[in-house]
Structure formats: structure tokens, C-alpha cells
Amino acid sequence: MKKRVLALLMCVLLVATMAVGCGEKKDNKDDSKATTADSSSDSSKDLITIGFSQVGAESDWRVANTESMKAALSEENGFKLIFADAQQKQENQTKAVRDFISQEVDVIVIAPVTETGWETVLGEAKDAGIPVIIVDRMIDVSDDSLYSCWVGSDFKQEGVDAANWLVEYMNKQGTGDAEHNVVVLQGTIGSSAEIGRTKGFDETIAGFTNYNVLEEQTGEFTQAKGQEVMEAFLKKYDNIDVVIAQNDNMAFGAIDALKAAGKTPGKDVVIVSFDAVKAAFDSMIAGDMNVSVECNPLHGPRVAELAKKLMAGETVEKIQYVEEGVYPAETAAQELPNRQY
Ligand code: GZL
């Protein structure tokens, strides 16, 4: 009898021990889940989640812009970045913004491919209470409460600076009064960079009747398309002596087309470009390009600062221009070491 009682007691003891153990494991499991949740909720609580819709990777400028944004919107700087590359298609940006809204990000940042088509989706972001920062190119909306602020360049001024540099250069060459025949490789049609640079250049050069703009056509801001359009221009016109390329990558394509046609870019055909990326300085040092009008892509730190201010409930300045200059070939060698992109 005693043995049975003892055996029974042992069984009860064993079952009790197992129950407590599971409980502990469960509790531990719960605790571990709680710990993970706490730490992840702690970490997610601390980090500002940014949904960033980028135009694409079409140019050296864009690559530098993306690098600047990713470096500034890093975890060590207090951000969780969700990055979406639109591959130069606005429909991809609209989808990305809707994804950000469904993920309930804290701030949406958009580098818009083109200026129009933003009312609906930004209305959805506003209804969701998510602030929007526009960076680089601008958007054209009737209600500017759809975005909190914009950081970028004065594209029209860039176009004016290019025209003024060209006229001054030709005057210095002693051909200021001669007839000059200009072709323009435009950026993505409808993008602020294209709209501003075209308007600024065209309106300024129209004041000089000896400058004839033969044709303007988009090279989509890419080197390949820029070369293709320049080849077509060379088949159509035999008197081109100025090429305005609305970014350096299209200028590189135009330079290749001119050399293939037996021309000497930088000498018998003046090459005026925009962006002023490092490769443009190499091209100017090689004598292929005459000037590059800077377009500063280093928006990351400013966007990071703006996002933190918006999350802190501060109001921020609506329109914020970045600093830029004009870089002629004559100073390219001394400037190149200072270039950050
Ligand atoms: C300008 C930017 C333009 C660059 C191009 O701010 O939007 O897009 O000039 C880039 O190189 O593709």
C-alpha cells in the first residue's frame, strides 16, 4: 500500500513539475515575445518610419541623390527607411505612396517624376494624416496643403544661368555677334527640371537674335537616349555649333555622337550641361564639355531635419532652395577635388 501511495505521490509531483515547467517555458516564451515586442516596439517607437518614392536610377545625379537620402535617413540617425524606386514611371510612385499609407509610415517623401497627377494620392495621404515632403522636382497641385514642404533647385534660374554663360563665352571667343545654331536635349518632359531649364534658357536666349534654337527634344535624362537624339539632330542639321544638354548624362551621349560624326565637342561644338557631377569635371578636363550648371543632389540631411521637425509638430518653411553654382571648364581641374558627388 505504502509503495502505491509513494508511487502516486511521485506521479503527482512529476505532473506538477511538468506543468510549472511548461508554464515557465510559456511564460518565458511570452516573456521572450514580450521582450522582443518590447524591444522592437521600443526601437520602432524611437525610429521615424519614412516611405521614400525615388524617381529611379537614370543618371549619376540620381544615384548621388539616393546615396545622400539613404545616408541621412539611416537607423543610427533615428529613421527606418522604406525605399521605392519608380524606374521613372509616375504610376509606380502612386502605387508606392499607397503602400506607404497602408503601412502607416510616419512621413512620406517623394521625388516626383513629373509635376502633375498628384492630387488624388496626396489627398489620400492627407486623409491618413501623414505629412509629405517633396524633394528635388516640384509638383503642380491646386491645394498646397497636400504637402508640408519642398526642398530642391531653382530650375528656371539654372536655365537662365546656362544662357547667360553661353552668351558671355561666345563674346569672349570673339563670336558674340555671329549666328549660332543651338539644339537642346531636354530632360523628362513635364519634370520640373525640364520645365524650368527649358523656360529659363529659351526666354533668356530669345533676347539674342543671332542665337537660333533649331530644335528641342527629350533625351529622358539618360546617356543612351541623349546619344540617340543627338545622332538624329546631326542627320537633320549640318550647322549645329551649340548643344544644351539638360543633364550631364545626356551630354556624355551627345559627346559620343559628335565624335562619331567627326566633330570636336568642346571646340567646334560648344557643350553646355547641367548637374555638375564628378564625371562632368572629367569631361571638361578632357576638353569635351565647356560648362556644367550645378544642380545639388545632396538633399538627405535637409530632408532628415525636416522630417524630425514635422514629427515634433513644428511648422517648417514651405519652399527651401539648395545652394548651386556654374562650373566652367577653365576651373574644372582645381574644383574636381572639392566635389562631393
Ligand atoms: C534635377 C533632377 C534631374 C537631374 C537629372 O533636380 O531632377 O533628374 O538634372 C536627373 O540628372 O535625372
Side-chain angles (χ1 to χ4, degrees):
M1 180 61 174
K2 263 188 188 173
K3 274 186 184 171
R4 265 202 211 146
V5 170
L6 192 59
L8 189 59
L9 272 176
M10 289 297 286
C11 286
V12 168
L13 193 61
L14 183 63
V15 167
T17 310
M18 280 170 69
V20 167
C22 286
E24 269 168 17
K25 208 181 290 167
K26 187 173 166 299
D27 290 349
N28 287 343
K29 196 159 165 281
D30 286 350
D31 288 352
S32 64
K33 211 168 71 185
T35 312
T36 311
D38 285 350
S39 60
S40 66
S41 64
D42 280 349
S43 59
S44 62
K45 210 162 35 189
D46 298 343
L47 297 179
I48 297 172
T49 303
I50 302 272
F52 175 34
S53 171
Q54 175 60 291
V55 166
E58 73 283 359
S59 65
D60 293 28
W61 187 98
R62 187 64 56 195
V63 169
N65 182 247
T66 295
E67 285 169 1
S68 171
M69 297 289 280
K70 285 184 174 176
L73 301 173
S74 63
E75 200 154 316
E76 51 266 33
N77 288 346
F79 296 96
K80 178 186 174 204
L81 177 62
I82 304 171
F83 179 84
D85 175 338
Q87 295 174 341
Q88 293 218 103
K89 293 185 176 66
Q90 187 182 37
E91 59 268 28
N92 291 341
Q93 295 199 295
T94 304
K95 184 184 173 306
V97 170
R98 289 196 167 118
D99 289 349
F100 297 151
I101 293 169
S102 64
Q103 294 177 65
E104 297 180 345
V105 300
D106 296 309
V107 180
I108 291 172
V109 179
I110 303 169
V113 174
T114 51
E115 290 198 343
T116 54
W118 291 102
E119 313 268 357
T120 304
V121 74
L122 291 189
E124 293 164 23
K126 184 177 178 182
D127 293 345
I130 302 174
V132 175
I133 297 175
I134 305 296
V135 64
D136 177 22
R137 303 172 188 175
M138 192 37 149
I139 58 175
D140 178 9
V141 290
S142 52
D143 171 9
D144 73 359
S145 72
L146 290 173
Y147 64 98
S148 298
C149 55
W150 169 83
V151 180
S153 301
D154 185 343
F155 300 111
K156 185 178 176 188
Q157 187 57 50
E158 291 175 0
V160 171
D161 290 347
N164 287 333
W165 178 89
L166 176 63
V167 170
E168 200 179 318
Y169 176 79
M170 291 304 194
N171 289 341
K172 282 182 193 158
Q173 300 300 308
T175 60
D177 298 330
E179 286 297 304
H180 293 291
N181 297 297
V182 184
V183 289
V184 181
L185 296 170
Q186 293 173 293
T188 303
I189 299 297
S191 68
S192 312
E194 177 275 312
I195 293 168
R197 289 169 187 166
T198 299
K199 191 173 173 59
F201 179 83
D202 286 359
E203 286 179 357
T204 305
I205 211 69
F208 301 88
T209 52
N210 56 318
Y211 286 80
N212 315 302
V213 179
L214 301 173
E215 190 169 345
E216 301 180 323
Q217 199 179 331
T218 184
E220 292 297 344
F221 283 132
T222 68
Q223 183 163 339
K225 188 73 179 166
Q227 179 169 347
E228 184 189 311
V229 173
M230 191 66 223
E231 286 163 356
F233 282 155
L234 287 166
K235 287 193 176 80
K236 199 168 173 183
Y237 306 102
D238 61 2
N239 57 351
I240 298 168
D241 66 328
V242 179
V243 175
I244 308 292
Q246 290 186 352
N247 86 328
D248 292 328
N249 293 81
M250 292 190 293
F252 303 150
I255 287 164
D256 290 345
L258 285 159
K259 287 180 175 175
K263 307 269 183 189
T264 315
K267 292 173 186 53
D268 53 34
V269 180
V270 174
I271 308 293
V272 179
S273 186
F274 293 80
D275 283 353
V277 298
K278 280 181 182 170
F281 286 79
D282 294 333
S283 180
M284 288 190 276
I285 291 165
D288 294 338
M289 184 187 287
N290 299 87
V291 65
S292 191
V293 177
E294 184 182 29
C295 179
N296 185 342
L298 306 179
H299 300 135
R302 182 84 68 88
V303 169
E305 180 197 344
L306 288 167
K308 289 188 174 173
K309 285 185 174 176
L310 290 169
M311 289 305 289
E314 294 176 34
T315 51
V316 295
E317 219 176 300
K318 193 84 176 175
I319 300 294
Q320 312 207 12
Y321 289 109
V322 291
E323 294 291 316
E324 303 176 329
V326 178
Y327 291 89
E330 295 75 24
T331 59
Q334 80 190 47
E335 280 296 334
L336 181 56
N338 311 325
R339 303 303 295 167
Q340 295 178 62
Y341 62 92

